[in-house]
Amino acid sequence: ESDTASEISFQLNRHKKTPSTGSHSSDMASVSSVSGSVLSVYSGDFGSVDAQGTVEFALDYDEKNREFQVHVSQCKDLAVVDEKKGRSDPYVKTYLLPDKARMGKRKTSVKKRTVNPIYNEVLRYKIEKMVLLIQKLNLSVWHNDPLGRNSFLGEIEIDLASWDWSNRKLNWYPLKPRSLSAVNGVDHRGVMSLSIKYVPPGSLGKWPKNPPSGEVHIWVKDVKDLLQLRPSGVDSFVKCYVLPDTSKKSYQKTRVIKRDTNPVFNHTIVYDGFHTEDLKDACVELTVWDHEKLTNHFLGGIRLGLGTGLSYGISVDWMDSTQEEVAFWQEMMLAANEWIEGLLPLRSL
C-alpha cells in the first residue's frame, strides 16, 4: 500500500457558471493578518547553533479564573552556545499567535551554565477560552546574552484549536529549528515534498494514440514539520482535487499516517482527460488533514496552477497560487513527460 497509483478520469465542467470553489476568499485574510506579527517574534541574534534537545511542559485552561497556563518544567540536551566556555544560559519564551501584540510574551527565569535547565514555572495568560482556541502557542528556547545578542535554541508550535484539553500531564516535545516561513512572516504549517508530470495526448505512442488524452501525474512523497496537535503527534492524510470540479469525481486521498508530524505517504495519483490547453485553467489542490473520529481538522494545503484568478473566463477564488506554486506548475507545463520535483510550504487556503 506504500505506493498507491490511482487512475482517475477527469472531465472539466467548463460551462457551469458556479464552479465549486473548495474555499472561501475571506479565509485568505488569515495569512496576511499573521504576517505582520510573526516577524517580531523572531527578533534577536539567532546565532549559528542548530536546534536540538527537548522541552517538557503541560497546558491547562483554568475555567474559574479564565486563565491559560503553560507549565514549563524543564529542557534536556540543549545546544551549547559558547563553545569555549561550554555553556548556555537558557530561558523559555512564549507567545500566542497571531495576536502577539495584544497578549504579549511571557518568559521564564534564566538558568545559567546548563543545557539541562529545570524551571518548574507557570506562564499565565488572562484570555477567554473562545479567543484562545483561534490562537497558536509558540514556545521557544533562547540563550540569554548580557549584551542582548540572544541565540535561538529551538521552538515548538501548538495549534490550540485542536489541542486535547483533557490532557494536563507534562509531556516531552522535540525542539525544532525556527521555520523559514515564520521568519519570512508566513503562518508556518509544514512543507510538502512532491513531484508532478504532464503527459501530453499521443506523446507515448502515435498508433493507437497513447495516451488518448493528456495525463497529470502527482506523486505525494512526504510532509515535514506538521503542527503538533497532541503529545503523540498527528494522524494525517492528504486529499487531492482538480478544480474546477463540480462533480467531486476528482477526489482522491492517501492513507492515514498515525502519530507522526513528518509523515511519509509515497502516493501517486494519475488524472487523465487533460488537454494541454486545460492546464491554464485547471488547478490541483492538495490539502493535509488530521484524522479524527468526529471531524477532520485542516492542517494546511497548496494549490498548483497559474494563479490568474480566472478559470475558463470565470472569476474564482481558488485560482490563488503563490509565486512558488505557479513556478512549479509552469515548469511542469514546459517539460512534458518529465517529473518535476518540488518542496512547497503548506498554507491556509
Side-chain angles (χ1 to χ4, degrees):
E1 200 185 18
S2 67
D3 187 6
T4 317
S6 323
E7 281 276 359
I8 306 239
S9 181
F10 174 65
Q11 298 304 322
L12 292 154
N13 290 335
R14 299 165 210 194
H15 305 299
K16 295 201 177 178
K17 290 292 179 200
T18 55
S20 146
T21 61
S23 80
H24 300 283
S25 52
S26 59
D27 293 350
M28 289 308 295
S30 58
V31 176
S32 51
S33 63
V34 170
S35 61
S37 63
V38 179
L39 276 172
S40 49
V41 177
Y42 297 89
S43 55
D45 176 11
F46 297 117
S48 57
V49 294
D50 290 329
Q52 65 172 65
T54 53
V55 56
E56 187 187 40
F57 64 90
L59 305 184
D60 195 12
Y61 186 78
D62 179 344
E63 302 275 359
K64 191 168 150 234
N65 294 309
R66 294 179 176 170
E67 187 176 74
F68 174 49
Q69 300 170 347
V70 184
H71 177 190
V72 181
S73 170
Q74 58 182 322
C75 301
K76 270 214 173 89
D77 305 320
L78 295 175
V80 174
V81 174
D82 190 334
E83 290 288 353
K84 280 184 199 151
K85 296 178 185 161
R87 71 179 277 184
S88 294
D89 300 341
Y91 67 95
V92 175
K93 178 164 78 172
T94 60
Y95 281 105
L96 289 179
L97 302 174
D99 204 5
K100 182 187 72 64
R102 191 162 70 82
M103 297 312 302
K105 70 180 169 193
R106 305 285 186 272
K107 293 199 289 195
T108 64
S109 55
V110 175
K111 301 297 176 188
K112 299 219 164 171
R113 294 183 184 79
T114 178
V115 291
N116 300 301
I118 294 173
Y119 298 102
N120 282 327
E121 295 178 38
V122 180
L123 306 177
R124 302 168 191 273
Y125 290 86
K126 284 278 187 198
I127 183 171
E128 294 292 339
K129 184 84 173 268
M130 290 297 288
V131 179
L132 184 66
L133 292 182
I134 56 170
Q135 313 278 316
K136 288 195 191 75
L137 171 70
N138 178 279
L139 181 147
S140 52
V141 185
W142 297 77
H143 160 74
N144 180 65
D145 184 285
L147 301 174
R149 292 174 61 81
N150 295 339
S151 297
F152 175 87
L153 299 178
E155 72 172 2
I156 173 129
E157 212 157 89
I158 301 270
D159 190 340
L160 299 175
S162 33
W163 182 252
D164 175 8
W165 293 97
S166 66
N167 164 48
R168 298 188 179 89
K169 291 196 207 83
L170 288 166
N171 284 287
W172 287 98
Y173 301 86
L175 288 166
K176 299 183 175 183
R178 70 189 185 281
S179 58
L180 277 175
S181 54
V183 176
N184 293 337
V186 179
D187 185 11
H188 181 66
R189 291 170 173 270
V191 180
M192 182 182 287
S193 168
L194 74 163
S195 289
I196 55 173
K197 174 170 71 170
Y198 179 60
V199 181
S203 62
L204 302 181
K206 297 297 179 201
W207 185 264
K209 197 174 174 191
N210 178 29
S213 67
E215 295 175 350
V216 172
H217 296 235
I218 301 143
W219 177 9
V220 180
K221 296 178 183 176
D222 61 54
V223 180
K224 292 266 191 318
D225 209 15
L226 284 173
L227 289 168
Q228 183 101 23
L229 297 187
R230 293 177 284 282
S232 60
V234 61
D235 300 342
S236 63
F237 68 98
V238 178
K239 286 185 195 179
C240 183
Y241 283 100
V242 178
L243 306 169
D245 173 34
T246 51
S247 66
K248 300 293 182 214
K249 278 186 185 155
S250 75
Y251 175 61
Q252 270 292 290
K253 64 179 177 144
T254 67
R255 68 194 190 290
V256 176
I257 305 289
K258 296 201 163 176
R259 296 182 292 282
D260 198 343
T261 52
N262 299 296
V264 176
F265 296 103
N266 205 23
H267 183 106
T268 307
I269 303 164
V270 178
Y271 290 102
D272 65 10
F274 258 101
H275 297 285
T276 307
E277 62 271 21
D278 289 327
L279 297 176
K280 303 193 309 293
D281 293 288
C283 167
V284 171
E285 180 181 86
L286 293 158
T287 50
V288 187
W289 298 79
D290 173 49
H291 178 67
E292 291 194 57
K293 283 195 185 80
L294 296 174
T295 175
N296 294 322
H297 181 255
F298 175 74
L299 296 173
I302 58 175
R303 289 201 181 115
L304 305 175
L306 291 185
T308 57
L310 293 174
S311 174
Y312 299 105
I314 297 167
S315 178
V316 290
D317 58 4
W318 46 259
M319 200 52 124
D320 65 351
S321 299
T322 64
Q323 278 179 303
E324 284 172 278
E325 292 163 356
V326 171
F328 187 48
W329 190 250
Q330 282 175 327
E331 203 180 333
M332 179 198 76
M333 289 171 72
L334 293 169
N337 293 312
E338 275 182 46
W339 282 110
I340 307 300
E341 286 187 54
L343 205 58
L344 294 170
L346 299 177
R347 56 187 176 99
S348 48
L349 296 179

